[in-house]
Amino acid sequence: MIDSQDAFSKVQKFHYLRSALSGEAAKVIAAMETTEQNYSKAWQLLQDTYANEGLIIARHTDLLVETPSVEQETAAGLRDFVSHVLQHLRSLTTLNVPVEHWDHLLMSILLPKLAQQTRMAYDSTLKDKETPKISGLMEFLRQRSRRLETTATSRTNTQTSRASPRVSPTPQRRQTKRIPNISSRKNSKVFVTTTPLKNCALCKDKAHTIHRCEEFHALSVGERINAARKEKLCFKCLRTGHSTQECTSSQCRICNLEHNTLLHLPRSGRRSPTPPKKHGSTTAAAATSAT
């Protein structure tokens, strides 16, 4: 966090802290003068007000219970389901919550949220008297998502191939008659415009955005912050082309501060990388100050 960086003076840290806050959090220290003595007081005041570990654990647990259902089995739907579950399980693990003993509870909550055909396919992979585990379910859903995506791509390519018009060979006699017309249009030009696909900013795959990137979700929160900073992404919507202060996307669903939920850094005492000073810096600090 910025608080643990010795390269900055307390006054610099105070200025950075003010720039990272908004709404009610900014009002908490609005009346305090920006001095070295007041920085520690302001930091402690914010910690006392917002760093309630019990509430953060409860919020992660609620979001697990409220995991959106996947009513129709699609690659994107299963991928989002896995990302949502793993995000909150990792955060709870960081907060020293023993989620490794929650298999029975989580399976009873999450399995009914899957489409019937997905549940039946998962049940067929279990051996007799095998106890289902949440790690096994997540791996099954990852693999099934990949197969669905491959099948959908293959089907699309086949349909495109069938829809392509067939050009009948032109008899030589007709070609001879059209030679003057062809030569008269030698200098004609054809302009084709295309809309570039938005590649994943991390793995550069055109099939998904960074929000659905398994490689991005597999990173720790600190590593995600570093990746977002390196790619110059907005820390609220994880896209390029604008600053975090200009972004109108929603706030973190856990702490309601100005950063993406995927960049929420739970209170763990671990150091995160020094936040950037340009685009995305506001949200990076908000992500770390919430801890």
Side-chain angles (χ1 to χ4, degrees):
M1 312 187 284
I2 190 67
D3 182 57
S4 61
Q5 300 299 318
D6 297 332
F8 298 98
S9 69
K10 288 188 176 181
V11 171
Q12 289 175 313
K13 292 178 181 180
F14 206 160
H15 281 297
Y16 191 87
L17 180 62
R18 286 190 186 278
S19 69
L21 299 175
S22 62
E24 292 297 323
K27 294 179 182 178
V28 172
I29 62 171
M32 300 181 72
E33 186 179 353
T34 306
T35 64
E36 287 197 5
Q37 294 77 12
N38 283 343
Y39 169 72
S40 298
K41 297 177 182 178
W43 181 257
Q44 189 60 48
L45 182 59
L46 289 169
Q47 289 278 61
D48 294 341
T49 305
Y50 294 105
N52 189 325
E53 190 170 291
L55 288 178
I56 295 174
I57 291 174
R59 182 56 178 160
H60 281 297
T61 305
D62 288 342
L63 289 171
L64 275 174
V65 174
E66 297 167 4
T67 299
S69 298
V70 183
E71 298 179 357
Q72 292 186 346
E73 189 182 55
T74 63
L78 293 181
R79 189 164 50 240
D80 289 345
F81 186 90
V82 171
S83 297
H84 176 89
V85 172
L86 292 183
Q87 174 192 344
H88 297 296
L89 287 180
R90 290 191 186 106
S91 296
L92 288 169
T93 300
T94 302
L95 293 166
N96 298 318
V97 178
V99 295
E100 65 273 13
H101 301 304
W102 287 13
D103 285 312
H104 289 291
L105 176 63
L106 290 173
M107 295 298 286
S108 65
I109 292 172
L110 298 175
L111 268 180
K113 295 179 179 292
L114 296 171
Q116 183 178 5
Q117 64 189 111
T118 308
R119 297 198 305 270
M120 292 176 63
Y122 172 68
D123 289 341
S124 67
T125 65
L126 299 176
K127 299 177 181 179
D128 292 340
K129 298 182 180 180
E130 179 182 357
T131 302
K133 292 185 176 296
I134 193 64
S135 59
L137 175 62
M138 294 296 101
E139 182 58 30
F140 166 79
L141 294 177
R142 280 199 196 97
Q143 295 179 7
R144 192 163 180 84
S145 173
R146 293 192 191 103
R147 285 195 295 269
L148 287 171
E149 194 165 42
T150 301
T151 302
T153 302
S154 177
R155 186 182 299 116
T156 300
N157 292 339
T158 301
Q159 291 174 348
T160 302
S161 177
R162 290 177 179 176
S164 299
R166 295 183 179 180
V167 180
S168 301
T170 305
Q172 184 64 33
R173 182 173 57 86
R174 294 184 179 179
Q175 281 187 349
T176 304
K177 290 182 178 180
R178 292 182 180 180
I179 286 177
N181 293 332
I182 293 173
S183 60
S184 66
R185 292 184 292 174
K186 271 186 178 179
N187 296 324
S188 63
K189 298 180 181 179
V190 177
F191 295 91
V192 179
T193 59
T194 59
T195 301
L197 293 173
K198 291 184 178 180
N199 300 1
C200 173
L202 183 65
C203 68
K204 312 306 179 185
D205 192 337
K206 292 184 178 180
H208 61 260
T209 62
I210 195 170
H211 306 83
R212 296 178 176 176
C213 179
E214 292 185 7
E215 183 178 340
F216 185 68
H217 282 281
L219 299 175
S220 67
V221 178
E223 291 170 333
R224 292 179 200 163
I225 293 173
N226 277 342
R229 181 185 300 111
K230 179 180 178 182
E231 299 300 333
K232 298 181 179 179
L233 305 180
C234 167
F235 273 56
K236 286 184 71 176
C237 67
L238 297 180
R239 294 182 175 89
T240 58
H242 60 271
S243 67
T244 302
Q245 293 175 333
E246 298 169 338
C247 187
T248 58
S249 296
S250 57
Q251 300 166 319
C252 175
R253 291 182 294 170
I254 298 170
C255 64
N256 293 321
L257 292 178
E258 300 294 321
H259 59 263
N260 192 281
T261 306
L262 291 173
L263 302 184
H264 175 77
L265 192 62
R267 184 183 184 188
S268 62
R270 298 182 302 173
R271 293 188 178 183
S272 62
T274 305
K277 296 183 179 180
K278 293 186 179 180
H279 296 302
S281 62
T282 300
T283 313
T288 54
S289 67
T291 61

